[in-house]
Amino acid sequence: MNPLLTVLQRMGGRATTLLPFSLLLGLLFQDLAAAARPLLLPLVVILLMLALARMDWGRLSALLRRPGAALLLAILNLVAVPLVVWPVWQGLGLWPSLVTALCLSAMAPGIISAATTATFLRLDASLALLLSLFTNFLVPFTLPPLALWLLGFDLKIGLFDLSMRLATIVALALVGALVIRRWLGPRLVAAGPTLDGVSVVVLMVFAIPLMDGVVARAITEPVKLAGFITGSFAGMLLCNLVMVAATWPFLDRRSALTVGYCSGGRHNALLMAVLPATADPDIFLFIAAVQFPIYIIPALLQPLYRRLLPR
């Protein structure tokens, strides 16, 4: 077998172990992290393309034929979860900027990479993909009023611009996925572990630019950065728990855990594009800090998911 394919297949089987190390690369090579920032958008397209190529399209079609449940779950993620977690953070007496950042994070849409990591965790990747897409399309309608009501932020989100940007990402990824599926044909199942390995490589590269500037803040404000990282872990786990608890009585176990996982992983980078210039700089520190749980929590939750979701 080709040594490269062997390495990729092994990487695909150790995804949750390898992903946290990608953060270390970004921290060690800050010049590389800064230079790699223009790669973020194309890497998002590639991640979604690989997720679509590996997707169970039969399951995805079944979900799309009855999209009402996924839409309801997306709305709960964007509206109900922030309303639940906001008083929790308010009542804990945390730094005001951390409370604001945690609440804004809970209002953000799901990350596109959730479908990729859901595959590694034995969750429902098709449902994760739909929730990510639906929340991203719906967030222009939910984030501005919630941010104004709860936090006093006037977010002027360009509905058309955001929708077109997401539609372009999805369209490019879909074309790429169709090309991959047509090229591999009946070999697609056998090539699955290799595609998983490629996804791991892309996720590792994706983490590098997200660490841009983190070392400088760690040197000047180590206590605050540590507090924000701790808060971001708590925020992700709380959002996850809220949605699992809300849906467990109504969904099968795999679906409820998938919904919770998607609620924990939020597209916080979107906030960088919509926050006003007068926003507290600490919110942007949180956006960097939250990358740590996004890349580490899958490794922490994997043993639990393996216990709850046997093959």
Side-chain angles (χ1 to χ4, degrees):
M1 180 182 290
N2 187 316
L4 178 59
L5 296 181
T6 302
V7 170
L8 287 174
Q9 289 175 9
R10 288 180 178 176
M11 290 181 72
R14 294 169 174 79
T16 54
T17 303
L18 290 171
L19 291 180
F21 289 102
S22 55
L23 298 174
L24 182 60
L25 292 175
L27 293 172
L28 290 175
F29 303 102
Q30 284 288 281
D31 290 342
L32 176 62
R37 288 189 71 85
L39 296 177
L40 284 173
L41 183 57
L43 288 172
V44 168
V45 174
I46 294 171
L47 277 174
L48 183 56
M49 177 185 69
L50 292 168
L52 284 168
R54 288 279 282 127
M55 196 65 57
D56 179 351
W57 285 33
R59 166 67 173 159
L60 187 60
S61 298
L63 289 170
L64 285 172
R65 282 195 294 270
R66 301 180 64 183
L71 278 171
L72 176 60
L73 291 170
I75 294 170
L76 289 175
N77 253 327
L78 292 172
V79 179
V81 170
L83 293 177
V84 171
V85 302
W86 179 68
V88 174
W89 302 131
Q90 288 282 91
L92 288 177
L94 305 173
W95 293 315
S97 58
L98 179 55
V99 172
T100 299
L102 284 165
C103 293
L104 282 172
S105 178
M107 300 174 197
I111 50 174
I112 297 297
S113 62
T116 302
T117 49
T119 302
F120 304 140
L121 296 172
R122 302 181 187 172
L123 299 174
D124 188 338
S126 299
L127 179 57
L129 176 64
L130 275 191
L131 289 176
S132 296
L133 294 179
F134 284 170
T135 53
N136 275 273
F137 276 119
L138 290 171
V139 76
F141 301 99
T142 61
L143 179 56
L146 274 177
L148 184 61
W149 178 32
L150 297 180
L151 304 172
F153 276 150
D154 186 8
L155 300 179
K156 301 182 185 300
I157 294 181
L159 174 59
F160 179 78
D161 290 342
L162 277 179
S163 299
M164 287 304 298
R165 186 186 313 170
L166 183 62
T168 300
I169 291 172
V170 173
L172 291 173
L174 181 59
V175 170
L178 289 171
V179 170
I180 292 173
R181 292 176 70 91
R182 185 173 182 84
W183 173 51
L184 291 175
R187 296 173 294 156
L188 179 63
V189 175
T194 302
L195 293 176
D196 287 344
V198 176
S199 297
V200 171
V201 172
V202 176
L203 280 168
M204 293 181 72
V205 175
F206 188 77
I208 293 173
L210 296 174
M211 292 296 100
D212 182 27
V214 174
V215 172
R217 293 298 295 265
I219 293 172
T220 58
E221 300 176 284
V223 174
K224 179 169 284 188
L225 178 60
F228 274 47
I229 291 174
T230 303
S232 64
F233 271 93
M236 278 191 65
L237 291 173
L238 180 60
C239 288
N240 189 329
L241 182 61
V242 167
M243 281 303 289
V244 170
T247 58
W248 191 273
F250 309 102
L251 301 177
D252 63 88
R253 182 179 297 181
R254 187 164 178 248
S255 297
L257 292 173
T258 301
V259 172
Y261 179 73
C262 291
S263 183
R266 302 284 181 145
H267 184 194
N268 290 273
L270 172 72
L271 301 174
M272 298 176 70
V274 300
L275 283 170
T278 55
D280 192 326
D282 284 349
I283 298 175
F284 299 100
L285 176 64
F286 179 87
I287 294 171
V290 80
Q291 305 310 317
F292 287 88
I294 285 175
Y295 275 76
I296 294 172
I297 278 181
L300 300 180
L301 292 180
Q302 189 174 46
L304 174 64
Y305 290 151
R306 283 180 173 172
R307 180 179 293 272
L308 294 174
L309 300 170
R311 288 191 184 276

